[in-house]
Amino acid sequence: MSLKKFKSSYETLLNYDTFTVEHNDLVLFRLHWKNVEVSLMLNNSIRRETYEKEKMTKSVNSENSSKEKSEEHMDVRLKHCLAYVLHTSGTTGIPKIVRVPHACIVPNIQHFRVLFEITQEDVLFLASPLTFDPSVVEIFVALSSGASLLIVPTSVKVLPSKLAAVLFSHHRVTILQATPTLLRRFGPQLIKSTVLSTNTSLRVLALGGEAFPSLTVLKSWRGIGNKTQIFNVYGITEVSSWATFYRIPEKILNSTLKCDLPVQLGFPLLGTVVEVKDTNGFTVQEGNGQVFLGGRNRVCFLDDEMTVPLGTMRATGDFVTIKDGEIFFLGRKDSQIKRHGKRLNIELVQQVAEGLQQVESCAVTWYNQEKLILFMVSKNDLVKDYIFKELQKHLPSHAIPDELVLIDSLPFTSHGKIDVSELNKIYLNSINLKSECKLNGKEELWGKLHHLWKSVLSLSEDPLKVPDESLFLNSGGDSLKSIRLLNEIENLVGTSVPGLLEIILSSSILEIYNHILQTVFPDEDLTFSKNYATKRKSSDVNQEETSGKSLHQESVMPLNCDNEINAFIALSRGSQILSLNTTRFLTKLEHCPSAYSSDLISQTNIQNMKSLNPPALIGKSKDMSCVAKVSEEETSVMGAEKMEFHVRWRSDTGKCVDASPLLVIPAVDKSSATVYIGSHSHRMMAVDLYSGKVKWEQILGDRIESSACVSKCGNFIVVGCYNGLVYILKSNSGEKYWMFTTDDAVKSSATVDPTTGLFYIGSHDQHAYALDIYKKKCVWKLKCGGTVFSSPCLSLIPYHLYFATLGGLLLAINPATGKRVWKHSCGKPLFSSPRCCLQYICIGCVDGNFLCFTHFGEQIWQFSTNEPIFSSPCTSASEQEIYFGSHDCFIYCCSMKGHLQWKFETTSRVYSTPFAFHNHNRGNEVLLAAASTDGKLWILESKSGELQSVYQLPGEVFSSPVVWESMLIIGCRNNYVYCLDLLGGNQR
């Protein structure tokens, strides 16, 4: 191309005073920037500043470009349009072919020359490979300025100490543009002593391509008196190459104060437009959003694009927050994960870890989207415990890594970025190595178990051993730490240890040790402590053994229940409605159901039954006990007005209310309906539904998390307690009628059998019990092979009783004999209560899977969520849909074939059970009430999942809602039980 033709082609870019130098057929242009005013604008003038040395006002003529977008395009077919073609690396998404026009990249070169004040005396290091577009900037900034460009062989690049000597001792590099990972490879000491030393040759350090290091780390890298100008540069290959810049002020770099603030992205480069938009595409002036980059000529051709409108804005996948007009990087979309029900930016974990002493460099990965792994380069191989302890001081519990892997150096790609795939291989290799490590015996296990115990609980490594009777939860442990201890133990022994999690949560370290021994060394002659051996002997009941022995059978007073039978309807969590003794009051039922299910005998297994409306539960039945169902025709109502909450009453229980309410409505006098609920204050209360007046209050022996259950006759309330007792209280006075003793805490809620009047309940002593409260005896008990936390579920056809354990077992039991019918191992703990309907039984698991079985134990399907499921299921009247919550913050609706119908994202974990109910203001609308642990109550349309209303309670919520008529009852951790009126929704 002739010199004249070149000038004419780029006269808009070369409209300054120039002179040329011809040497060996190479023509160099020298541009003179005299009093040049370059307009740049950031987010429609979010911030305007004058950069004194560059004399630039940050603004961009976006208005003009937007007017011309529809009329003007850049065409890849035009001669001399393209400067180069490359591929994106694919590290932040799907690899793309990017064809870059001259007009897109030249402004970068022009601006960096001025920004870095490049002269003929400068030496630039070509840090980027030619496949990475920053290399174009490095090359042409040097050539267009007459500066030197240093090109180093790959064999030198991979050796940090040798590379540092070449760059800063032999060739005195003055300008370095690099990724933070490439800089970190030098290590803190070499960076401080050479790269950013007092007498370093490096005049400008520009870091980009990855998240910028924290200011605390950056300041720790600088030698005393270092004068290097440090820039944060940001951009994407799709708008090649850089888009913004920010120079870190000297006063911040020289400050001795600790600074945890992130570094802002700064100002747009020449010709660049930066916009931040929310998920709806609206420009964000303050708050969070995604970055979009472009500019009139700052456009490239992606993949098969032939023409692109001038001024096209490209989505970056990078999320930022704007505060007072300054843009701060939050992380890539890929780096935003949900863990333990909360959002987490894994780059935050890396920044915090990097700021710790003894950490030379580090990286964090989300391995298989299930484990958070911290990779660390450190001089000290014995710092794992210290690191975990320090991380717990600076990070929330959901951000603590699952594992820490020590490595010699961080692997990086040819573009100088962290090689995540290589890190995953390293982790996989570490797992394989651990699995190959065999313990030499139980004595070694005991010592290593002590070490893991202290490490997970961040206890000092003193010579004092952990007492044999130490309990994990009492020693500072919690649910997240228990999972970490489980993983560490299983890595140590090289195999999974079934039932270990529940042992960790409920037993001593000695019992944990013995449990591991039985799994890992099953053929050895194991030695147990005397106390433990005794306990094992007394509790090792044969799986099929039944017993009628009751440990506490004293009668408070005799009662002839046959003479005191009440007609009533009882509601409990999960839309469970039990209608008993209502022959005289029900006139609309055509046929009494022949199948029952769930905690209080579900209303879902109703055959040939018409819709039933809760306020008018009247009908006719051929039997004395009948199960009714809330009417649900389940058709979506479009354009319905949103509902509102109004507090009808609240009642102070004295401490947290985690139990769910039981609502009993007498068939004769609906106005005397009563709410029964217990709390951590040891109080069991009966509260008038309509007025909130406390009818009676009874103090039990310990805190109450079990939800109450009403007897077949209606005269008694049954509730479990932390002291291991099952209390039978008179429903009208709260007077203690009978107490049955188990060997551990009772958090399970009882289920009543409407055919026999027996109560079924589980205990942390790993047993299921059948109690005859009228004869005051235990009819049978069965060892379940694990702690029973959740509530049993009863089906009449087939006549099965279902229990779930923290050992991961789902058991089907014959209610009449206590004999086990079948069992299924889910592999992980079951905190969710089983729920059965006519054909299936469903349950959630802590591995995030929701499982569906036939009544004969065959698994039909499973649906996977992203986090553990503690929520119990709720079914629709037609049994075509099932609702449940997850710790991933979503409420799910699935068909009975396992297909997702909809999901709704809440603001926190969903622990409680949803409740489907009829909207009495609209004849055929069914709504769903649910609660998230942050205290929000959600009302959704059951068919579509559309939000109808939300209400914030002043405390956390683990209780499940119950709805009757237009009233919602729920417990809260602010010590109160609430009754809220649901108003609106097209009342008519």
Side-chain angles (χ1 to χ4, degrees), residues 569 585-586 588 611-619 670 920 964-965:
I569 297 153
F585 308 101
L586 300 180
K588 289 187 178 179
S611 295
L612 188 64
N613 215 353
L617 283 170
I618 54 176
K670 186 182 71 171
H920 300 289
W964 174 255
E965 296 180 341

Side-chain angles (χ1 to χ4, degrees), residues 653-659 677-685 699-706 721-722 747 956 958-959 972-973 975-976:
T653 70
K655 280 192 177 179
C656 298
V657 186
D658 284 345
I677 197 164
S679 88
H680 288 202
S681 66
H682 307 185
R683 296 184 198 173
M684 187 67 204
M685 299 173 63
I699 304 298
L700 305 187
D702 206 333
R703 69 181 184 181
I704 307 163
E705 288 188 11
S706 169
C721 186
Y722 257 63
K747 300 181 184 180
E956 288 187 311
F958 287 80
S959 172
C972 182
R973 282 198 164 181
N975 306 345
Y976 284 84

Side-chain angles (χ1 to χ4, degrees), residues 399-458:
I400 303 298
D402 294 300
E403 293 191 44
L404 191 157
V405 179
L406 295 174
I407 54 179
D408 295 329
S409 62
L410 290 174
F412 64 101
T413 67
S414 60
H415 291 180
K417 298 182 180 182
I418 294 287
D419 192 332
V420 175
S421 62
E422 190 60 33
L423 286 176
N424 288 336
K425 290 178 183 176
I426 292 172
Y427 175 64
L428 188 59
N429 289 337
S430 72
I431 294 176
N432 294 334
L433 285 174
K434 286 180 180 179
S435 65
E436 294 171 2
C437 296
K438 302 295 183 182
L439 291 169
N440 295 323
K442 59 192 176 191
E443 295 80 10
E444 183 177 323
L445 171 64
W446 182 242
K448 291 192 174 183
L449 179 60
H450 272 241
H451 174 76
L452 293 178
W453 182 278
K454 292 178 180 180
S455 172
V456 170
L457 294 175
S458 300

Side-chain angles (χ1 to χ4, degrees), residues 178 291 340 351-352 571 653 667 826 894 913 928 950:
V291 178
H340 304 312
Q351 286 193 356
V352 170
L571 286 86
T653 70
C826 298
C894 287
T913 301
L928 193 73
V950 61

Side-chain angles (χ1 to χ4, degrees), residues 42 47 49 51 58 243-246 264-269 274:
L42 176 60
R47 179 169 179 170
E49 273 194 28
Y51 200 89
K58 284 76 184 179
T244 68
F245 73 94
Y246 178 71
Q264 61 172 289
L265 294 187
F267 317 110
L269 288 161
V274 179

